Amino acid sequence: ARKQLKVLHALDIATTQVYHFTAIAIAGMGFFTDAYDLFSISLVTDLLGRIYYTDGVLPVGVSALVNGVALCGTVVGQLFFGWLGDKVGRRHIYGVTLKLMVICSIASGLSFHRSRKSVITTLCFFRFWLGFGIGGDYPLSATIMAEYANKKTRGAFIAAVFAMQGLGNLAAGIVAIIVSQSFKHAPGYDHDPHWHADYVWRIILMVGAIPAILTYYWRMRMPETARFTALIAKDIKKASSNMALVLNIDIVAEIEEADVFNREHEFGFFTMEFVHRHGLHLLSTMICWFMLDMSFYLLNLFMKNIFTEVRFIKDASTMSPLDQTYNIARTQALITVIGTLPGFFFAVKFMDRIGRIKMQIVGFIMMSVFMLGLAIPQVLSKTIWYSRYGNIYFIVIYSAIMFFTDFGPNSTTFILPAEIFPARMRSTCHGIAGAGGKGGAITGVLWFLYANKGLPIILFVLVGCNIIGLVFTLILPETKKRSLEEVTGERGNDEDQGVAI
């Protein structure tokens, strides 16, 4: 059986140390920025309609472009940077994605002219490239954290990185509340509210650059992961020295030449061997992520539409532009605090106890149960959510959906692709799986805007997506407390650990 390198075995059995938390913070702030940038757009799209269109509403095509263009960029970024991460190293391009996010976050709030065409064109151009940078952060952050972590707490560490998405979502809501209220009480607002509102949406989007700037220096100081250096670059001595710099682990450097590597397992991506060993797993991770993101992004990006339909948010015609932004942001922050953040917290806490597969199955099932809990009563009575108590019930159930989304497939679909593929194609495969997910997000956005269906039909369709995701989850292997090399087949199940290849 193929054995595991000593440096990798040392990483697997290492105790939790300060640098593990440093890596979580560095990678996690990237996801904080990702979430802020992706979800802040839902807070300002209605504002754009109020400012630049005479009827106060973005046309469907423009709304689809504004909401979906960053997701299109994310798909391309996941594929490109995922592939690049396996070719030149995870660390070398980790800073490139952050630079793109900083530049494009700032540029998203700028326009060359205040005309409608100029503003929308500039916004969409830079949000595509913003999404491109965000897309690169997905495979790189997941792969880096998976390759740094020990096998006992690897799931919790990767989940903690992804949980920063919840804090980024909350931050977007808080920033929108503060900025909208500040400008609402500024001198001259009553005289020209649209002039003030034009600054509000720009500031909200541009603030997304701040957390990325704060972590750039530390991201550049991270050493390359030992698994890339040893298994792909074939420099075992450097892998050992790099890890010794940041982790307090005792490693005896192995100086054998690259020739000692067992090349039997080094098949390429476009080979039948890959299809035989990992093809079904790659397809399953793509489909699970596609189905999850169709629900997740639809319910997040169009939360304002859904809560307006049940009359928790008042009709836009009864509010000023900034009052509308305030109410949308307050709703997003409320759902994040009640459902999203607790879901992420428990995902981190129980990921390595319950396991990825069980958590994903439970998540899909409970999401479906609570979606039906919203859909069926509205089929029976269209006005059931209009009362005060109806609104409360709706908020509780909606938050429960978001809880089990995050305490379930939203976390596990991010973790599994970073664990079940070999090191030399780990980042690539994660990027492909993530691109499948964002394909689901784009599908959800377009379907919501163009199909124009009522909430019950939307929820019934999403339940069907959950069932499909559940079925494909059953194909995936459990990775809880197993070495990455054991999961991927880069070594056997031999109990004799720490032996050179």
Side-chain angles (χ1 to χ4, degrees):
R2 185 173 181 161
K3 309 299 192 295
Q4 190 180 29
L5 287 169
K6 291 177 183 177
V7 62
L8 306 186
H9 175 63
L11 286 173
D12 277 341
I13 64 172
T15 57
T16 300
Q17 300 174 31
V18 173
Y19 193 75
H20 287 124
F21 294 104
T22 303
I24 289 172
I26 294 170
M29 285 306 291
F31 269 93
F32 181 97
T33 305
D34 297 348
Y36 184 99
D37 290 333
L38 286 177
F39 296 117
S40 59
I41 195 66
S42 67
L43 302 173
V44 303
T45 48
D46 285 18
L47 201 55
L48 292 171
R50 298 288 291 270
I51 298 169
Y52 296 109
Y53 289 84
T54 54
D55 60 354
V57 179
L58 285 179
V60 172
V62 175
S63 181
L65 192 60
V66 170
N67 281 286
V69 69
L71 297 173
C72 294
T74 304
V75 170
V76 180
Q78 286 173 316
L79 295 173
F80 177 72
F81 286 112
W83 168 78
L84 206 58
D86 286 330
K87 293 298 178 183
V88 302
R90 289 72 157 115
R91 173 192 175 277
H92 287 87
I93 54 174
Y94 208 24
V96 176
T97 61
L98 211 60
K99 288 178 184 177
L100 271 172
M101 287 189 281
V102 170
I103 294 170
C104 294
S105 290
I106 295 172
S108 292
L110 304 176
S111 58
F112 302 111
H113 193 272
R114 289 190 65 183
S115 70
R116 179 171 69 195
K117 183 178 180 180
S118 174
V119 168
I120 298 300
T121 301
T122 305
L123 174 63
C124 290
F125 175 81
F126 284 111
R127 279 194 65 81
F128 175 87
W129 291 108
L130 173 64
F132 185 67
I134 290 172
D137 224 41
Y138 272 75
L140 294 174
S141 292
T143 300
I144 287 172
M145 200 65 242
E147 294 183 345
Y148 268 123
N150 62 63
K151 64 182 181 181
K152 290 185 178 179
T153 57
R154 185 177 60 242
F157 286 170
I158 306 174
V161 169
F162 196 62
M164 294 297 284
Q165 184 185 78
L167 293 177
N169 202 347
L170 177 62
I174 292 173
V175 169
I177 289 171
I178 294 172
V179 175
S180 63
Q181 289 302 290
S182 298
F183 275 84
K184 180 184 174 183
H185 296 100
Y189 173 72
D190 292 333
H191 176 68
D192 191 358
H194 286 177
W195 185 87
H196 288 73
D198 194 42
Y199 284 94
V200 169
W201 73 264
R202 298 172 190 273
I203 293 171
I204 291 172
L205 296 184
M206 293 169 74
V207 166
I210 295 175
I213 293 172
L214 295 177
T215 56
Y216 178 77
Y217 171 77
W218 298 104
R219 195 174 272 206
M220 290 298 91
R221 288 176 58 87
M222 293 182 76
E224 185 56 81
T225 69
R227 285 181 164 90
F228 178 87
T229 308
L231 299 177
I232 302 176
K234 310 295 191 202
D235 193 339
I236 304 171
K237 188 175 182 179
K238 185 177 181 181
S240 300
S241 63
N242 280 350
M243 291 304 98
L245 289 174
V246 295
L247 293 173
N248 183 24
I249 52 179
D250 187 19
I251 303 172
V252 178
E254 298 159 303
I255 58 174
E256 288 88 345
E257 298 295 327
D259 292 343
V260 304
F261 281 82
N262 185 348
R263 298 186 180 276
E264 176 189 349
H265 297 267
E266 297 192 2
F267 47 85
F269 182 81
F270 295 103
T271 63
M272 290 306 298
E273 185 70 13
F274 174 83
V275 174
H276 174 70
R277 288 172 178 258
H278 302 290
L280 192 56
H281 290 164
L282 182 59
L283 177 65
S284 297
T285 54
M286 288 177 63
I287 292 177
C288 289
W289 211 335
F290 181 99
M291 297 303 164
L292 175 276
D293 271 6
M294 187 165 175
S295 297
F296 180 73
Y297 280 88
L298 190 155
L299 294 177
N300 274 283
L301 291 178
F302 300 108
M303 189 183 298
K304 60 184 181 297
N305 304 73
I306 294 170
F307 276 81
T308 300
E309 182 177 335
V310 300
R311 299 186 182 179
F312 180 77
I313 298 176
K314 296 178 181 178
D315 188 83
S317 61
T318 66
M319 297 182 285
S320 70
L322 294 189
D323 281 330
Q324 183 183 14
T325 301
Y326 169 81
N327 279 281
I328 293 171
R330 182 190 64 174
T331 303
Q332 178 172 309
L334 178 65
I335 298 300
T336 302
V337 170
I338 297 175
T340 300
L341 291 180
F344 277 128
F345 173 80
F346 284 102
V348 173
K349 186 174 180 62
F350 291 103
M351 186 63 67
D352 291 304
R353 300 184 191 182
I354 297 175
R356 290 67 153 149
I357 303 303
K358 287 182 181 178
M359 188 175 288
Q360 188 158 306
I361 290 171
V362 170
F364 275 130
I365 291 173
M366 296 308 297
M367 285 169 63
S368 299
V369 169
F370 286 111
M371 284 177 182
L372 293 174
L374 288 183
I376 293 174
Q378 190 166 357
V379 171
L380 300 176
S381 173
K382 292 184 179 181
T383 62
I384 191 169
W385 308 126
Y386 294 173
S387 68
R388 178 184 176 186
Y389 292 108
N391 276 175
I392 293 173
Y393 176 86
F394 189 90
I395 290 170
V396 170
I397 301 301
Y398 201 94
S399 298
I401 295 172
M402 301 313 297
F403 175 91
F404 282 105
T405 300
D406 298 314
F407 180 72
N410 193 35
S411 296
T412 53
T413 53
F414 177 75
I415 294 171
L416 282 165
E419 298 181 312
I420 64 177
F421 300 107
R424 65 190 172 280
M425 55 188 75
R426 181 171 291 134
S427 180
T428 300
C429 290
H430 195 287
I432 293 171
K438 291 302 172 284
I442 295 167
T443 302
V445 167
L446 296 177
W447 179 68
F448 182 91
L449 290 171
Y450 284 99
N452 198 26
K453 300 294 183 181
L455 182 59
I457 293 178
I458 291 172
L459 293 171
F460 286 136
V461 170
L462 296 184
V463 168
C465 292
N466 294 338
I467 293 171
I468 295 172
L470 174 62
V471 170
F472 279 89
T473 299
L474 300 175
I475 298 172
L476 298 171
E478 180 55 70
T479 58
K480 180 180 68 172
K481 297 184 178 179
R482 297 171 64 194
S483 165
L484 291 176
E485 287 68 48
E486 178 186 342
V487 173
T488 62
E490 290 171 288
R491 73 169 176 84
N493 293 321
D494 198 315
E495 293 297 325
D496 183 16
Q497 301 292 306
V499 182
I501 291 177

